[in-house]
Amino acid sequence: MITPDPHHVSIEREPHTDEVLARGGDARAAGVLQRSGFVPVARVHDSYHRLPLALDKDEQVLRAARAAGLLTSHGYSLTVDPEFAPSRQTFAYVTLGQQVAAVAKRIDRATHTEEVTQALTELTATHDGVLDGARTCLTTAATWIDELGDAADPARASRVRQLAEYLDHIRCDLAGMRNDLAERHTGHPRRTACPGIDDNEREASVTCSCPPTPPRPPAGPPRRAR
């Protein structure tokens, strides 16, 4: 059995099904692929990533080329179909792992499942997502506490490791929900794009002419303690 090269990734269109599949790489490559919109697939004897089935071909090419560019910038060797060859513009990317509040704002403004999928990917991505990074912090802190030397430190360290495992369960559950949203690829029935901005407008300085969104109704009265 040939062991896959963790530093090589292939992104190719499957000729029989027309699906865009990515194979190979390691956990970091998986995170890059998921940030680019790919969905992980795990089989009994195989695992890979593929683009959601609902995308049109133009969007498939855009995402696959973006993934190829990001993987190249991270030092991976690639095998890609000519249609997915990356351009220079696909190489730049700034992660939001330390900007959780910004992710929440992106979700609040979202009008499509794709936008929420991208935002949740910042939380659930393997290797460098927010939750995976938090888990690494906890396991590292547990080791540090364990070596302090106080009689109670091993118990404290054990508790921190339990919290790290619990956080990993949260990440896995949320990743599953993220994947479900990626597959749905639909607009939100109660949230629409601002009508005051032309569909062709891409400038960041555009000002919305719509009235401000009314404040959300307050939550119900707090429950009384029993």
Side-chain angles (χ1 to χ4, degrees):
M1 182 177 179
I2 300 176
T3 303
D5 182 356
H7 303 293
H8 180 82
V9 179
S10 67
I11 303 177
E12 299 169 306
R13 189 181 295 279
E14 215 286 324
H16 300 294
T17 64
D18 212 35
E19 293 178 312
V20 178
L21 306 182
R23 297 180 181 275
D26 53 12
R28 184 172 188 175
V32 170
L33 289 168
Q34 291 173 27
R35 287 176 186 275
S36 301
F38 282 74
V39 177
V41 178
R43 307 288 189 194
V44 175
H45 301 294
D46 192 16
S47 61
Y48 53 91
H49 284 75
R50 66 165 171 78
L51 286 177
L53 304 176
L55 302 180
D56 59 40
K57 285 201 172 183
D58 289 341
E59 186 68 12
Q60 289 177 346
V61 170
L62 179 65
R63 296 192 189 195
R66 182 171 182 269
L70 291 172
L71 288 166
T72 299
S73 70
H74 284 297
Y76 292 91
S77 62
L78 297 178
T79 299
V80 297
D81 285 348
E83 65 178 321
F84 305 143
S87 65
R88 282 187 166 281
Q89 286 77 12
T90 63
F91 281 66
Y93 182 76
V94 179
T95 67
L96 297 178
Q98 297 179 340
Q99 303 178 35
V100 181
V103 177
K105 291 180 180 179
R106 287 168 58 184
I107 295 174
D108 189 56
R109 295 193 299 263
T111 61
H112 195 280
T113 55
E114 171 60 22
E115 297 169 272
V116 179
T117 296
Q118 292 177 353
L120 291 181
T121 301
E122 296 295 343
L123 301 179
T124 63
T126 56
H127 184 76
D128 58 356
V130 173
L131 293 174
D132 194 68
R135 182 183 186 280
T136 300
C137 288
L138 290 179
T139 55
T140 303
T143 299
W144 194 88
I145 294 170
D146 209 5
E147 297 173 349
L148 275 177
D150 190 90
D153 287 334
R156 296 189 183 104
S158 177
R159 178 56 180 159
V160 174
R161 291 189 181 97
Q162 289 176 356
L163 294 174
E165 292 178 3
Y166 183 69
L167 193 60
D168 194 45
H169 291 313
I170 294 175
R171 189 198 68 79
C172 290
D173 286 349
L174 189 57
M177 297 178 191
R178 174 261 177 209
N179 295 338
D180 290 341
L181 283 175
E183 294 284 15
R184 292 175 69 175
H185 197 70
T186 185
H188 194 290
R190 296 191 178 184
R191 295 172 183 246
T192 58
C194 171
I197 298 175
D198 190 277
D199 289 340
N200 296 323
E201 182 57 73
R202 293 291 183 265
E203 295 297 327
S205 60
V206 169
T207 301
C208 175
S209 61
C210 300
T213 303
R216 295 176 179 176
R223 296 180 178 180
R224 295 180 179 180
R226 294 179 179 180

Coordinates of all heavy atoms in Angstrom, one line a residue, residues 31-74:
G31 N -7.5 22.1 6.3 CA -8.0 23.4 6.7 C -8.1 24.4 5.5 O -9.1 25.1 5.4
V32 N -7.1 24.4 4.7 CA -7.0 25.3 3.5 C -8.2 24.9 2.6 O -8.9 25.8 2.1 CB -5.7 25.2 2.8 CG1 -5.7 26.0 1.5 CG2 -4.6 25.8 3.7
L33 N -8.4 23.7 2.3 CA -9.4 23.2 1.4 C -10.8 23.6 1.9 O -11.7 24.1 1.2 CB -9.3 21.7 1.2 CG -8.1 21.2 0.4 CD1 -8.0 19.7 0.5 CD2 -8.3 21.6 -1.1
Q34 N -11.0 23.4 3.2 CA -12.3 23.7 3.8 C -12.5 25.2 3.8 O -13.7 25.7 3.6 CB -12.4 23.2 5.2 CG -12.5 21.6 5.3 CD -12.4 21.1 6.6 OE1 -12.8 21.7 7.6 NE2 -11.9 19.8 6.8
R35 N -11.5 26.0 4.0 CA -11.6 27.5 3.9 C -12.0 27.9 2.5 O -12.6 29.0 2.3 CB -10.3 28.2 4.4 CG -10.1 28.1 5.9 CD -8.7 28.8 6.2 NE -8.4 28.6 7.6 CZ -8.8 29.4 8.5 NH1 -9.5 30.4 8.2 NH2 -8.4 29.2 9.8
S36 N -11.6 27.1 1.5 CA -11.9 27.4 0.1 C -13.2 26.9 -0.3 O -13.6 27.0 -1.5 CB -10.8 26.9 -0.8 OG -9.5 27.4 -0.4
G37 N -14.0 26.2 0.6 CA -15.3 25.8 0.3 C -15.5 24.3 0.1 O -16.6 23.8 -0.3
F38 N -14.4 23.5 0.2 CA -14.5 22.0 0.0 C -15.1 21.4 1.3 O -15.1 21.9 2.4 CB -13.1 21.4 -0.2 CG -12.6 21.6 -1.6 CD1 -12.1 22.9 -2.0 CD2 -12.5 20.6 -2.5 CE1 -11.6 23.1 -3.3 CE2 -12.0 20.8 -3.8 CZ -11.6 22.0 -4.2
V39 N -15.8 20.3 1.0 CA -16.4 19.5 2.1 C -15.6 18.2 2.3 O -15.3 17.5 1.3 CB -17.9 19.1 1.7 CG1 -18.5 18.3 2.7 CG2 -18.7 20.4 1.5
P40 N -15.3 17.8 3.5 CA -14.6 16.6 3.7 C -15.5 15.4 3.6 O -16.6 15.4 4.0 CB -14.1 16.7 5.2 CG -15.0 17.6 5.8 CD -15.5 18.6 4.8
V41 N -14.9 14.3 3.0 CA -15.7 13.1 2.8 C -14.8 11.9 3.3 O -13.7 11.8 3.0 CB -16.0 12.8 1.3 CG1 -16.7 11.5 1.1 CG2 -16.8 13.9 0.7
A42 N -15.4 11.1 4.2 CA -14.7 10.0 4.8 C -15.4 8.7 4.5 O -16.6 8.5 4.7 CB -14.7 10.2 6.3
R43 N -14.7 7.8 3.8 CA -15.2 6.5 3.5 C -14.5 5.4 4.3 O -13.5 5.8 5.0 CB -15.0 6.2 2.0 CG -15.5 7.3 1.0 CD -17.0 7.3 1.0 NE -17.5 8.1 -0.1 CZ -18.8 8.5 -0.2 NH1 -19.7 8.1 0.7 NH2 -19.2 9.3 -1.2
V44 N -14.9 4.2 4.2 CA -14.3 3.1 5.0 C -12.8 3.0 4.5 O -11.9 2.8 5.4 CB -15.1 1.8 4.8 CG1 -14.3 0.7 5.5 CG2 -16.5 1.9 5.3
H45 N -12.6 3.0 3.3 CA -11.2 2.8 2.8 C -10.7 4.0 2.0 O -9.7 3.9 1.3 CB -11.2 1.6 1.8 CG -11.6 0.3 2.5 ND1 -10.9 -0.3 3.5 CD2 -12.7 -0.4 2.3 CE1 -11.5 -1.4 3.9 NE2 -12.6 -1.5 3.2
D46 N -11.3 5.2 2.2 CA -10.9 6.4 1.4 C -11.3 7.6 2.1 O -12.3 7.6 2.8 CB -11.4 6.3 0.0 CG -10.8 7.3 -0.9 OD1 -9.7 7.8 -0.6 OD2 -11.4 7.5 -2.0
S47 N -10.6 8.7 1.9 CA -11.0 10.0 2.4 C -10.5 11.1 1.5 O -9.4 10.9 0.9 CB -10.5 10.3 3.8 OG -9.1 10.2 3.9
Y48 N -11.3 12.1 1.3 CA -10.9 13.2 0.4 C -11.8 14.4 0.6 O -12.6 14.4 1.6 CB -11.1 12.7 -1.1 CG -12.4 12.2 -1.4 CD1 -13.4 13.0 -1.9 CD2 -12.7 10.8 -1.2 CE1 -14.7 12.5 -2.2 CE2 -14.0 10.3 -1.5 CZ -14.9 11.1 -2.0 OH -16.2 10.6 -2.3
H49 N -11.6 15.4 -0.2 CA -12.5 16.6 -0.1 C -13.1 16.8 -1.5 O -12.5 16.4 -2.5 CB -11.7 17.9 0.3 CG -11.3 18.0 1.7 ND1 -10.3 17.2 2.3 CD2 -11.8 18.7 2.7 CE1 -10.2 17.5 3.6 NE2 -11.1 18.4 3.8
R50 N -14.3 17.4 -1.5 CA -15.0 17.7 -2.7 C -15.7 19.0 -2.6 O -16.1 19.4 -1.5 CB -15.9 16.6 -3.2 CG -17.1 16.4 -2.3 CD -18.2 15.5 -3.0 NE -19.2 15.1 -2.1 CZ -20.2 15.9 -1.7 NH1 -20.3 17.2 -2.2 NH2 -21.1 15.5 -0.9
L51 N -16.0 19.7 -3.7 CA -16.8 20.9 -3.7 C -18.2 20.5 -3.6 O -18.7 19.4 -4.1 CB -16.5 21.7 -5.0 CG -15.2 22.4 -5.0 CD1 -15.1 23.1 -6.4 CD2 -15.1 23.4 -3.9
P52 N -19.1 21.3 -2.9 CA -20.5 21.0 -2.8 C -21.1 20.8 -4.2 O -20.8 21.5 -5.2 CB -21.1 22.3 -2.2 CG -19.9 22.8 -1.4 CD -18.7 22.5 -2.2
L53 N -22.1 20.0 -4.3 CA -22.7 19.6 -5.5 C -23.5 20.7 -6.2 O -23.8 20.7 -7.4 CB -23.6 18.3 -5.3 CG -22.8 17.1 -4.7 CD1 -23.8 16.0 -4.5 CD2 -21.7 16.6 -5.6
A54 N -24.0 21.6 -5.4 CA -24.9 22.6 -5.9 C -24.2 23.7 -6.6 O -24.9 24.6 -7.3 CB -25.7 23.2 -4.7
L55 N -22.9 23.8 -6.7 CA -22.2 24.9 -7.3 C -22.2 24.8 -8.8 O -22.1 23.7 -9.4 CB -20.8 25.0 -6.8 CG -20.5 25.1 -5.3 CD1 -19.0 25.1 -5.0 CD2 -21.2 26.3 -4.8
D56 N -22.3 25.9 -9.5 CA -22.2 25.9 -11.0 C -20.7 25.8 -11.3 O -19.8 26.0 -10.4 CB -22.8 27.1 -11.6 CG -22.2 28.4 -11.1 OD1 -21.0 28.5 -11.0 OD2 -23.0 29.4 -10.9
K57 N -20.3 25.6 -12.6 CA -19.0 25.4 -12.9 C -18.1 26.6 -12.7 O -16.9 26.4 -12.4 CB -18.9 24.9 -14.4 CG -19.3 23.5 -14.6 CD -18.8 22.9 -15.9 CE -19.1 21.4 -15.9 NZ -18.6 20.7 -17.2
D58 N -18.6 27.8 -13.0 CA -17.8 29.0 -12.7 C -17.3 29.1 -11.3 O -16.2 29.4 -11.0 CB -18.5 30.2 -13.1 CG -18.7 30.3 -14.6 OD1 -17.9 29.7 -15.4 OD2 -19.6 31.1 -15.1
E59 N -18.3 28.8 -10.4 CA -17.9 28.8 -8.9 C -17.0 27.7 -8.6 O -16.1 27.9 -7.7 CB -19.2 28.7 -8.1 CG -19.0 28.9 -6.6 CD -18.6 30.3 -6.2 OE1 -18.7 31.2 -7.1 OE2 -18.2 30.5 -5.1
Q60 N -17.1 26.5 -9.2 CA -16.2 25.4 -8.9 C -14.8 25.8 -9.3 O -13.8 25.6 -8.6 CB -16.6 24.2 -9.7 CG -17.9 23.5 -9.2 CD -18.3 22.4 -10.1 OE1 -17.8 22.2 -11.2 NE2 -19.2 21.5 -9.6
V61 N -14.6 26.4 -10.5 CA -13.3 26.8 -11.0 C -12.7 27.9 -10.0 O -11.5 27.8 -9.7 CB -13.4 27.4 -12.4 CG1 -12.1 28.0 -12.8 CG2 -13.8 26.2 -13.4
L62 N -13.5 28.9 -9.6 CA -13.1 29.9 -8.7 C -12.6 29.3 -7.4 O -11.5 29.7 -6.9 CB -14.2 30.9 -8.4 CG -13.9 32.1 -7.5 CD1 -12.8 33.0 -8.2 CD2 -15.2 32.9 -7.2
R63 N -13.3 28.4 -6.8 CA -12.9 27.9 -5.5 C -11.7 26.9 -5.6 O -10.8 27.0 -4.8 CB -14.1 27.1 -4.9 CG -15.3 28.0 -4.5 CD -16.3 27.3 -3.7 NE -17.5 28.1 -3.5 CZ -18.4 27.8 -2.6 NH1 -18.2 26.8 -1.8 NH2 -19.5 28.6 -2.6
A64 N -11.7 26.1 -6.7 CA -10.6 25.2 -6.8 C -9.3 26.0 -7.1 O -8.2 25.6 -6.6 CB -10.9 24.2 -8.0
A65 N -9.4 27.0 -7.9 CA -8.2 27.8 -8.2 C -7.7 28.6 -6.9 O -6.5 28.7 -6.7 CB -8.5 28.8 -9.3
R66 N -8.7 29.0 -6.1 CA -8.3 29.7 -4.9 C -7.6 28.7 -3.9 O -6.6 29.0 -3.3 CB -9.6 30.2 -4.2 CG -9.3 31.0 -2.9 CD -10.6 31.7 -2.5 NE -10.4 32.4 -1.3 CZ -10.6 32.0 -0.1 NH1 -11.0 30.7 0.1 NH2 -10.4 32.7 1.0
A67 N -8.1 27.5 -3.8 CA -7.5 26.5 -3.0 C -6.1 26.2 -3.5 O -5.2 26.0 -2.7 CB -8.3 25.2 -2.9
A68 N -5.9 26.0 -4.8 CA -4.6 25.7 -5.4 C -3.6 26.8 -5.1 O -2.5 26.6 -4.7 CB -4.8 25.5 -6.9
G69 N -4.1 28.1 -5.2 CA -3.2 29.2 -4.8 C -2.8 29.2 -3.4 O -1.6 29.4 -3.0
L70 N -3.7 29.0 -2.5 CA -3.4 29.0 -1.0 C -2.5 27.8 -0.7 O -1.5 28.0 0.1 CB -4.7 28.9 -0.2 CG -5.6 30.1 -0.3 CD1 -6.9 29.8 0.4 CD2 -4.9 31.3 0.4
L71 N -2.7 26.7 -1.2 CA -1.9 25.5 -1.0 C -0.5 25.8 -1.5 O 0.5 25.4 -0.8 CB -2.5 24.3 -1.6 CG -3.7 23.7 -0.9 CD1 -4.4 22.7 -1.8 CD2 -3.4 23.1 0.4
T72 N -0.3 26.4 -2.6 CA 1.0 26.7 -3.2 C 1.7 27.7 -2.2 O 2.9 27.5 -2.0 CB 0.9 27.3 -4.6 OG1 0.3 26.3 -5.4 CG2 2.2 27.7 -5.1
S73 N 1.0 28.7 -1.7 CA 1.6 29.7 -0.9 C 2.1 29.0 0.5 O 3.0 29.6 1.1 CB 0.6 30.8 -0.6 OG -0.4 30.4 0.2
H74 N 1.4 27.9 0.9 CA 1.8 27.2 2.1 C 2.9 26.2 1.8 O 3.3 25.4 2.7 CB 0.6 26.5 2.7 CG -0.3 27.5 3.4 ND1 0.1 28.2 4.5 CD2 -1.6 27.9 3.2 CE1 -0.9 29.0 5.0 NE2 -1.9 28.8 4.2

